[in-house]
Amino acid sequence: LSGCDSGFGQATARHLDIMGFRVFASVLDLQSPGAQELRQSCSSRLTLLQMDLTKTEDIQRVLQHIQAHTNSTGLWGLVNNAGFNDTIADAELSPLGKFRTCMEVNFFGSLELTKGLLPLLRSAGGRIVTVSSPAGDMPFPCLAAYGASKAALSLVMDTFRSELQPWGIKVSLILPGYYKTGTTCDPAFWNLHKQQLLASLPQELLQAYGEEYVEEINQQFIQFMKVAVEDLSAVVNSITEGLLAANPAVRYYPGQGLGIMYFIHHYLPYFVRDLFLKGFFINPKLPRALRREHHKDVKKA
């Protein structure tokens, strides 16, 4: 189970431990408050493992540990939960490095871990449950780097689902709504990364969009996250069902409002979809350069 420092991973690790399972829980930092909390609240069956999904040596060390402890039994389930995003900005304003980091953690890291554990999963005819995001299915404004990595993750897991059927492995995707997890609801975290983004932008881009444009979208995001759900149990239950149900669903959608969102996405015209996502999530004001042209046109008229 990856990404157990906080949020879904931490809550799921605790839940599975209470149910009596032997849990291998990976955390980014063994001294983090989340890791300490798991140590105190869980049984001795739970093993905490340090793993940074961007480091092959970390992944290999975890694979070796799990292989050594499950060789005779195989591994029943893998939960790919670790995820990363620290940028709320238009795709043009998001540095290429941010796209790469999202891909490294959310896609390549999960892919490497999955591939490494497949021999153990095949021998047990086990399960793969992966936490993706509706942002990987729909073009949420200002989430391109994160959304692109989750789109790649969802697609590769769907491919695994089809290819691993003959081995008896069942693969499920979890696409949660908006929950309070880790740093997602910490305004200080987003303000810091907004300042770093503004400092790194080329002058021409900063002038075209305007500092106030970036401020505004970040404020809207922080406001949006204030209504995120604190109770993570719907997601934990979906992950657990993916691991234990005789016939788990291919996709789980824990969270409110996802039904209407997917209905609009699949059945209504593009302009309605875009309007809905802006109204629901972030609706950026016009960039500075376009506003200036607008003022000139008004004056000429």
Side-chain angles (χ1 to χ4, degrees):
L1 174 56
S2 67
C4 296
D5 296 81
S6 62
F8 304 140
Q10 190 191 36
T12 304
R14 197 182 298 115
H15 181 66
L16 293 172
D17 180 72
I18 289 166
M19 290 178 78
F21 289 97
R22 178 156 196 213
V23 179
F24 297 96
S26 87
V27 291
L28 200 53
D29 177 8
L30 287 168
Q31 303 311 316
S32 70
Q36 306 274 28
E37 203 178 303
L38 282 176
R39 258 191 215 99
Q40 285 155 13
S41 65
C42 293
S43 74
S44 57
R45 282 186 309 274
L46 182 124
T47 305
L48 279 174
L49 299 166
Q50 190 279 326
M51 180 173 66
D52 179 341
L53 278 172
T54 64
K55 294 180 178 164
T56 291
E57 60 272 24
D58 279 19
I59 296 173
Q60 291 306 317
R61 193 184 64 248
V62 165
L63 290 175
Q64 282 163 11
H65 182 96
I66 294 173
Q67 280 158 359
H69 288 82
T70 59
N71 246 338
S72 54
T73 57
L75 180 69
W76 176 252
L78 162 64
V79 180
N80 289 305
N81 164 70
F84 170 84
N85 182 44
D86 69 357
T87 305
I88 305 298
D90 293 46
E92 187 179 10
L93 297 174
S94 304
L96 211 53
K98 297 295 184 186
F99 280 85
R100 287 204 173 96
T101 307
C102 281
M103 288 300 285
E104 284 296 333
V105 178
N106 302 339
F107 177 70
F108 285 112
S110 297
L111 176 60
E112 189 175 346
L113 187 63
T114 303
K115 282 170 69 70
L117 291 173
L118 268 174
L120 291 167
L121 289 161
R122 281 193 286 104
S123 69
R127 304 289 171 85
I128 300 169
V129 178
T130 300
V131 179
S132 189
S133 169
D137 286 333
M138 304 174 213
F140 277 77
C142 306
L143 278 187
Y146 177 74
S149 67
K150 289 294 192 178
L153 180 67
S154 294
L155 188 115
V156 82
M157 288 300 158
D158 256 350
T159 308
F160 274 136
R161 180 185 52 76
S162 166
E163 293 173 349
L164 295 172
Q165 249 167 349
W167 295 95
I169 293 178
K170 292 185 165 69
V171 181
S172 299
L173 276 175
I174 314 285
L175 297 118
Y178 301 91
Y179 289 89
K180 291 194 170 160
T181 61
T183 52
T184 55
C185 296
D186 178 7
F189 173 85
W190 295 109
N191 282 322
L192 171 67
H193 286 282
K194 174 197 68 190
Q195 295 302 342
Q196 289 172 349
L197 175 70
L198 285 169
S200 73
L201 283 178
Q203 201 54 37
E204 185 217 348
L205 266 186
L206 193 56
Q207 294 214 303
Y209 280 84
E211 195 171 320
E212 66 283 359
Y213 179 89
V214 178
E215 296 275 0
E216 167 74 15
I217 56 180
N218 273 269
Q219 278 311 114
Q220 283 192 36
F221 176 74
I222 288 166
Q223 281 301 117
F224 175 79
M225 290 316 290
K226 281 182 181 169
V227 299
V229 179
E230 287 192 48
D231 179 4
L232 308 183
S233 58
V235 180
V236 173
N237 291 341
S238 294
I239 294 171
T240 307
E241 192 181 314
L243 287 171
L244 301 180
N247 289 297
V250 170
R251 287 181 162 221
Y252 291 91
Y253 300 95
Q256 292 173 321
L258 292 178
I260 184 75
M261 192 186 294
Y262 274 91
F263 175 83
I264 290 168
H265 176 69
H266 286 303
Y267 297 109
L268 298 185
Y270 279 105
F271 79 92
V272 178
R273 289 163 48 178
D274 291 348
L275 277 174
F276 172 77
L277 285 175
K278 284 178 180 172
F280 170 74
F281 185 54
I282 290 174
N283 191 2
K285 289 193 165 68
L286 272 180
R288 184 189 288 168
L290 295 177
R291 287 203 309 275
R292 206 180 298 129
E293 282 168 24
H294 175 70
H295 292 323
K296 283 178 191 164
D297 291 343
V298 170
K299 279 177 190 168
K300 280 178 197 164

